[in-house]
Amino acid sequence: MHPHVEKILLNEQQIQERVKQLGQQITADYQGESILMVGILKGAMIFLADLVRNIEIPTFFDFMAVSSYGAGTVSSGVVRILKDLDKSVEGKHVIIVEDIVDTGLTLQYLLENMKSRGPASLKVCTLLDKPDRRKVDIPIDYNGFRIPDEFVVGYGLDFNERYRNLPYIAVLKPEIYKG
Ligand code: PRP
């Protein structure tokens, strides 16, 4: 275990099993179709990479990078697009892939933005859901795990850009994030 980690919330095996189930569910739901997975950088990249390898229908992917305006770790709801999609989503079956839904503000913006581009259908898949922190009601179609209101890192999630490469989801020791 990484020396900065206090406890592991979800280990590699738990994550891989759940990601496999999500892939099977998506495969079943979209039989006969093809899908476009839109990963939200940077957090979702590891989840997306594992998820698409468990999907057995034609799967395409594209990415967006967004950032909340203003300083701090709390999402403000005002979102700036840092990197937009490479191609049009018009007429495509789109699944937005997130690592975590916290306040829901980022996803609220992304859903509105994506809807205006005219996809054939639009769904949301997140690895983690932190319902205690929700500020806006967001439909989540595929959810890996519901987690308590703790600051988590690993499997794509960071603290000051660190720890994204940990293969598990963990809680840091308080002295690390409190300085
Ligand atoms: C995280 C996460 C979501 C958003 C969720 O991204 O990937 O996009 O915050 O928060 P919300 O529900 O409160 O809006 P972050 O801004 O940390 O960027 P990153 O993925 O590059 O780490």
Side-chain angles (χ1 to χ4, degrees):
M1 191 161 89
H2 191 287
H4 294 175
V5 164
E6 180 166 88
K7 65 173 178 199
I8 293 177
L9 209 61
L10 298 164
N11 65 34
E12 275 188 81
Q13 195 192 344
Q14 289 172 300
I15 296 170
Q16 293 307 328
E17 274 173 18
R18 187 70 186 117
V19 170
K20 190 171 182 184
Q21 287 172 351
L22 290 171
Q24 288 169 343
Q25 210 179 326
I26 291 170
T27 301
D29 290 352
Y30 289 88
Q31 272 307 314
E33 307 284 354
S34 65
I35 48 171
L36 176 66
M37 309 292 274
V38 172
I40 309 303
L41 297 171
K42 308 178 187 115
M45 76 164 194
I46 292 182
F47 174 43
L48 184 134
D50 281 346
L51 181 63
V52 293
R53 282 178 283 183
N54 286 284
I55 295 176
E56 293 173 7
I57 53 169
T59 300
F60 298 83
F61 33 99
D62 205 341
F63 297 92
M64 276 178 88
V66 296
S67 153
S68 295
Y69 268 125
T73 51
V74 181
S75 186
S76 64
V78 184
V79 173
R80 186 163 53 111
I81 296 178
L82 303 177
K83 184 226 170 288
D84 207 342
L85 298 171
D86 289 344
K87 286 189 180 160
S88 164
V89 301
E90 203 178 336
K92 295 178 183 162
H93 294 290
V94 173
I95 302 180
I96 297 178
V97 182
E98 268 286 21
D99 52 347
I100 186 164
V101 182
D102 196 344
T103 64
L105 291 167
T106 304
L107 208 45
Q108 183 182 48
Y109 170 84
L110 286 170
L111 281 167
E112 284 312 308
N113 181 290
M114 207 64 70
K115 270 181 209 158
S116 72
R117 305 182 192 209
S121 68
L122 181 59
K123 284 191 185 180
V124 170
C125 178
T126 185
L127 178 70
L128 305 175
D129 175 21
K130 227 190 235 185
D132 294 347
R133 303 242 318 153
R134 196 75 89 256
K135 287 189 182 159
V136 285
D137 201 21
I138 289 293
I140 298 178
D141 302 281
Y142 304 101
N143 178 29
F145 301 93
R146 200 164 276 183
I147 61 164
D149 187 10
E150 288 187 283
F151 188 81
V152 290
V153 297
Y155 199 74
L157 290 99
D158 73 308
F159 172 61
N160 287 344
E161 299 298 327
R162 289 192 70 179
Y163 313 109
R164 291 192 198 271
N165 60 316
L166 297 180
Y168 44 77
I169 302 280
V171 177
L172 289 174
K173 290 177 178 164
E175 63 261 34
I176 304 299
Y177 58 84
K178 286 180 181 143

